[in-house]
Amino acid sequence: MYDIKALYEAKSVPDAIELLLAHPQARIIAGGSDVLVQMREGKLAGSELVSIYGLDELRGIKLEDDGTIRIGSLTSFSHITKNRIIQQYINVLGEAVDMVGGPQIRNIGTIGGNTCNGVTSADSASTLFAWDAVIEITGPDGVRLVPIQEFYIKAGVVDLRPGELQTAILIRQDSYAGYQGHYIKYAMRNAMDIATTGCSVNVKLSPDKTTILDARIAYGVAGPVPMRAHSAESAVRGCAVSEETVDAFGKAALNDVNPRTSWRASREFRLQLVEELAKRALAESIRLSGGTI
């Protein structure tokens, strides 16, 4: 069924690094929900694989002493959605990954695999962009911490060097404390479909809930890689909570995106989605924060 040249099973992170250096053409496989599909389609036929699926040290979510949320790269989507730390501090991430595929995919698929694919439609990616996530990469030279905006290089390509693997995703306390967020996935079907456009927004309101102290917005499928819309963020920072502010947010987002026409949707329709989803996601984030429009 699968044309695999060789499969090497890593026993530890250092062992995985050694295997990747010894077999530089090998692909990393974790849950396999993407790699095995590509192999079956013939795109990766004859590949060597390094399996890291048995590395339990890369699973789980914990709150570190400095308040950083650490998500192991092998943590499944299902575990993220159900995790108490995620639900308490960044529930929108659990909601976003709960839109990936069906239950079977969410049980086996990992957040590390979702981000390392480098695709703009990954449901976790835009939310991680909006939370200013940092990618932990471990390799022969030790550990590197890379902001997620720099991790994505171009469509399907991420900043993983020879012998390296992603070991965790970090969200620092100052990126989530006081914020509430909302993710909207627009797709041709309600389930089991790739996003036509995805939009994730989080917002921090003043103590009296009448002013937007900060807002962050990120998109999937609005360009070749997931992206932030900094013009929209600047347009509402320090502004009163109002319908006018929400409208300005959506319009400003159009300055930063560059969607393309594909068989799923035209560029023009995606631009319409960019504006409308921004407005809806901001309005819901404000509501979740206790504000009223």
Side-chain angles (χ1 to χ4, degrees), residues 58-132:
L58 300 186
R59 287 187 173 85
I61 300 165
K62 67 177 182 178
L63 192 63
E64 299 187 332
D65 291 341
D66 64 355
T68 297
I69 298 173
R70 179 185 179 86
I71 307 171
S73 292
L74 288 186
T75 308
S76 71
F77 300 125
S78 296
H79 281 96
I80 289 171
T81 300
K82 298 173 183 176
N83 183 266
R84 179 190 58 80
I85 295 172
I86 298 295
Q87 292 174 349
Q88 180 175 352
Y89 296 108
I90 50 171
N91 191 51
V92 60
L93 179 60
E95 294 174 346
V97 300
D98 203 39
M99 298 182 188
V100 177
Q104 297 92 335
I105 295 296
R106 294 194 292 271
N107 286 339
I108 195 70
T110 65
I111 194 164
N114 203 225
T115 50
C116 287
N117 274 340
V119 297
T120 185
S121 59
D123 288 303
S124 68
S126 55
T127 297
L128 292 172
F129 266 67
W131 287 117
D132 279 332

Side-chain angles (χ1 to χ4, degrees), residues 8-257:
Y8 309 101
E9 186 173 355
K11 306 300 182 186
S12 63
V13 170
D15 186 39
I17 294 169
E18 290 183 11
L19 288 168
L20 290 169
L21 290 174
H23 307 278
Q25 301 305 314
R27 297 288 298 264
I28 295 174
I29 183 170
S33 57
D34 288 309
V35 170
L36 292 180
V37 171
Q38 293 179 51
M39 296 194 78
R40 190 169 185 178
E41 291 174 345
K43 296 177 182 178
L44 297 177
S47 294
E48 294 178 286
L49 301 177
V50 172
S51 174
I52 61 171
Y53 191 70
L55 305 185
D56 287 340
E57 63 264 41
L58 300 186
R59 287 187 173 85
I61 300 165
K62 67 177 182 178
L63 192 63
E64 299 187 332
D65 291 341
D66 64 355
T68 297
I69 298 173
R70 179 185 179 86
I71 307 171
S73 292
L74 288 186
T75 308
S76 71
F77 300 125
S78 296
H79 281 96
I80 289 171
T81 300
K82 298 173 183 176
N83 183 266
R84 179 190 58 80
I85 295 172
I86 298 295
Q87 292 174 349
Q88 180 175 352
Y89 296 108
I90 50 171
N91 191 51
V92 60
L93 179 60
E95 294 174 346
V97 300
D98 203 39
M99 298 182 188
V100 177
Q104 297 92 335
I105 295 296
R106 294 194 292 271
N107 286 339
I108 195 70
T110 65
I111 194 164
N114 203 225
T115 50
C116 287
N117 274 340
V119 297
T120 185
S121 59
D123 288 303
S124 68
S126 55
T127 297
L128 292 172
F129 266 67
W131 287 117
D132 279 332
V134 175
I135 305 299
E136 181 189 273
I137 301 167
T138 305
D141 296 323
V143 175
R144 291 194 296 131
L145 298 179
V146 181
I148 195 167
Q149 292 91 339
E150 299 173 17
F151 183 64
Y152 283 76
I153 297 174
K154 61 181 182 179
V157 179
V158 296
D159 183 18
L160 283 177
R161 302 169 187 173
E164 290 186 331
L165 67 155
Q166 184 197 115
T167 47
I169 296 172
L170 311 174
I171 302 177
R172 296 188 171 116
Q173 187 176 36
D174 58 1
S175 294
Y176 68 82
Y179 289 81
Q180 290 289 338
H182 185 59
Y183 173 73
I184 302 175
K185 174 181 180 176
Y186 184 95
M188 297 171 68
R189 298 183 298 180
N190 289 332
M192 299 290 288
D193 202 0
I194 295 172
T196 301
T197 302
C199 176
S200 191
V201 171
N202 56 57
V203 68
K204 184 176 185 178
L205 300 184
S206 60
D208 63 3
K209 310 299 181 184
T210 63
T211 304
I212 296 175
L213 298 181
D214 192 25
R216 295 191 292 251
I217 178 171
Y219 289 98
V221 208
V225 295
M227 60 175 58
R228 288 274 289 275
H230 294 290
S231 295
E233 297 171 1
S234 299
V236 302
R237 195 172 290 122
C239 293
V241 172
S242 66
E243 290 185 4
E244 291 76 16
T245 297
V246 170
D247 288 341
F249 189 67
K251 287 182 171 57
L254 295 171
N255 296 326
D256 299 311
V257 299

